[in-house]
Amino acid sequence: MSANFEAKKVVVQEITEKIKASKSIVLVDYNKLTVAEVSALRNKCKQAGCEYKVYKNTLVRKALNDLGHTDFDNDLNGPTAVAFGSDETGAAKVMVAAAKEYDSKVVVKSAFVDNAYVDKNGVKALASMPSREELVAKMLGSMQAPLSNFAGVLNNLVAGIVRVLHGIAESKQ
């Protein structure tokens, strides 16, 4: 076997490991982006906790097929970049924002979330969803609100009793 074939096997293994380690993967067409725009997009991905990589379509297709996912075969044509996300919505948010910002230079193709194929409309829906951390914070806030209100009521009740007792004490003097 040639050294090139062995090198490709190593890259396919790397892609497979990244797919397994990621909670979401977004495929985008990055045609016509300048080097500066690609660098800026990589930095935005890094800030959002995802990784932006460009691989050969055949190698990404092989990695996905080895994992039993053939839905992406049609999307892996033309210039394709892959965003590996550490959460379900982060990569989708960055790529949908990039598609708006770079106006037709970045086109969302599809995504892989929870071991399932997601089309481009699904990716846009994912991007509009709050992240897991935001949902947990909202839930905790809504659970905490009744306790906070109850503590306020008790505080006002005690303060009212103190005012009444103070008024009685002044009237007896």
Side-chain angles (χ1 to χ4, degrees):
M1 295 199 181
S2 70
N4 190 26
F5 181 74
E6 291 301 320
K8 287 180 180 180
K9 282 176 68 173
V10 170
V11 173
V12 168
Q13 184 62 33
E14 173 189 333
I15 295 168
T16 303
E17 293 304 317
K18 285 185 179 190
I19 291 170
K20 288 178 182 177
S22 300
K23 298 225 176 183
S24 66
I25 298 157
V26 179
L27 303 176
V28 294
D29 182 341
Y30 66 96
N31 199 11
K32 302 174 192 150
L33 279 179
T34 65
V35 173
E37 291 169 335
V38 169
S39 295
L41 186 56
R42 278 196 169 99
N43 289 335
K44 288 176 186 174
C45 283
K46 192 176 286 187
Q47 291 171 354
C50 58
E51 182 182 8
Y52 178 89
K53 295 285 278 184
V54 176
Y55 291 108
K56 287 184 164 267
N57 289 332
T58 54
L59 300 180
V60 175
R61 184 179 296 119
K62 174 78 172 126
L64 285 166
N65 288 345
D66 286 351
L67 293 172
H69 303 286
T70 58
D71 300 332
F72 298 93
D73 290 350
N74 292 333
D75 296 331
L76 291 167
N77 295 314
T80 305
V82 184
F84 298 95
S86 59
D87 66 356
E88 289 81 2
T89 61
K93 286 181 181 187
V94 172
M95 291 301 126
V96 168
K100 289 178 185 172
E101 181 180 344
Y102 296 121
D103 193 38
S104 78
K105 290 184 178 182
V106 174
V107 177
V108 176
K109 291 182 174 184
S110 61
F112 180 66
V113 180
D114 287 335
N115 288 325
Y117 175 84
V118 179
D119 65 357
K120 63 182 170 185
N121 293 328
V123 175
K124 290 177 184 174
L126 268 175
S128 66
M129 293 175 73
S131 69
R132 183 179 188 276
E133 290 78 21
E134 292 169 332
L135 289 172
V136 168
K138 285 181 181 180
M139 185 184 74
L140 289 176
S142 65
M143 289 172 61
Q144 198 174 24
L147 292 174
S148 173
N149 292 341
F150 183 65
V153 167
L154 288 178
N155 187 33
N156 288 337
L157 183 63
V158 171
I161 291 172
V162 169
R163 281 192 297 272
V164 168
L165 292 175
H166 182 69
I168 292 172
E170 282 186 1
S171 68
K172 289 195 176 188
Q173 286 179 350

